[in-house]
Amino acid sequence: QVQLVESGGGLVQAGGSLRLSCTTPGRTFTGYTIAWFRQAPGKGRERVAAISWSGGATYYADSVQGRFTISRDNARNTMYLQMRNLKVEDTAVYYCAARAGSVYSDYGYDHWGQGTQVTVSS
């Protein structure tokens, strides 16, 4: 059963922007940290951003710091990843995931979406 659903991926030129959304139909992840991961072909999975339930704590990977912004609207059960100044190396499948616990760990995410493709062209 899919518990998180991503949308908003697509093809964009380098320097452009995209906003990804993650919804949780049928379930409210009260108290959960939500993160965005990505995986490029032939590479390992990378956690790029995370946000606590309250939004008061966030995490960004160095590779996206200053370009990506994570946010959430708990009333709408929706989380966002605003991506600006996209680079070719941002090309990947992006997944949202949920865990009960801190934003500061890469592990323990046991609820996942199916992913959305982001392709950045030069």
Side-chain angles (χ1 to χ4, degrees), residues 101-115:
S102 169
V103 302
Y104 301 114
S105 174
D106 285 346
Y107 307 102
Y109 288 88
D110 49 8
H111 304 277
W112 291 83
Q114 293 184 320

Side-chain angles (χ1 to χ4, degrees), residues 29-40:
F29 283 88
T30 302
Y32 276 58
T33 286
I34 301 294
W36 286 93
F37 289 77
R38 68 185 181 187
Q39 187 162 21

Side-chain angles (χ1 to χ4, degrees), residues 53-82:
W53 166 254
S54 69
T58 56
Y59 161 86
Y60 294 97
D62 289 344
S63 57
V64 307
Q65 179 74 49
R67 300 188 298 121
F68 289 12
T69 303
I70 191 170
S71 61
R72 66 191 297 168
D73 182 343
N74 292 330
R76 298 178 184 271
N77 290 339
T78 304
M79 285 64 66
Y80 304 98
L81 185 68
Q82 178 68 54

